[in-house]
Amino acid sequence: VQFVESGGGLVQPGGSLRLSCAASGFTFSSYAMSWYRQAPGKERELVAYISSAGGTTNYADSVKGRFTISRDNAKNTVYLQMESLKTEDTAVYVCRVRLTYGVEYWGQGTQVTVSS
């Protein structure tokens, strides 16, 4: 299983970014995907979840209304569209899949920094 994450960077407060996570090594369309984030000195936090077909999504309260998770099963890619970014959104963002029997795989992470 491999993930290639991209789209992170430096953005001003109020700005937008779109993260991508391209997956390989498993049947992408069969599994739910999640985005997590971890800021320095803080616990890792679940940001967003999307079911295998994309029909169900869930978000952390802190990002509801600002972030949108989506997926393209034809491209084996999950996205996180982030709007109205705040300084507290600064973190390393990581995609994650939990396969059969509870085996988890994590991406390498992409840094998002929100600063003026």
Side-chain angles (χ1 to χ4, degrees):
V1 174
Q2 284 190 318
F3 298 112
V4 178
E5 292 148 327
S6 60
L10 174 64
V11 63
Q12 292 187 340
S16 302
L17 283 174
R18 188 195 196 204
L19 306 184
S20 299
C21 172
S24 61
F26 65 101
T27 307
F28 182 79
S29 59
S30 295
Y31 294 94
M33 294 292 299
S34 302
W35 281 99
Y36 284 74
R37 67 185 181 187
Q38 187 162 21
K42 293 189 176 181
E43 298 274 325
R44 187 164 56 196
E45 173 189 22
L46 173 61
V47 175
Y49 161 97
I50 187 166
S51 61
S52 57
T56 298
T57 56
N58 287 305
Y59 299 91
D61 287 343
S62 58
V63 307
K64 277 181 185 175
R66 300 188 297 120
F67 289 12
T68 303
I69 189 171
S70 62
R71 65 191 295 160
D72 185 338
N73 285 346
K75 295 182 178 180
N76 286 2
T77 301
V78 61
Y79 305 96
L80 186 67
Q81 179 68 43
M82 305 186 294
E83 308 282 351
S84 302
L85 283 160
K86 305 176 181 180
T87 54
E88 53 263 43
D89 294 320
T90 295
V92 175
Y93 286 72
V94 186
C95 58
R96 173 258 200 187
V97 67
R98 184 172 183 265
L99 302 182
T100 308
Y101 308 119
V103 178
E104 295 182 326
Y105 292 90
W106 298 81
Q108 83 285 356
T110 185
Q111 177 70 47
V112 172
T113 302
V114 185
S115 175
S116 54

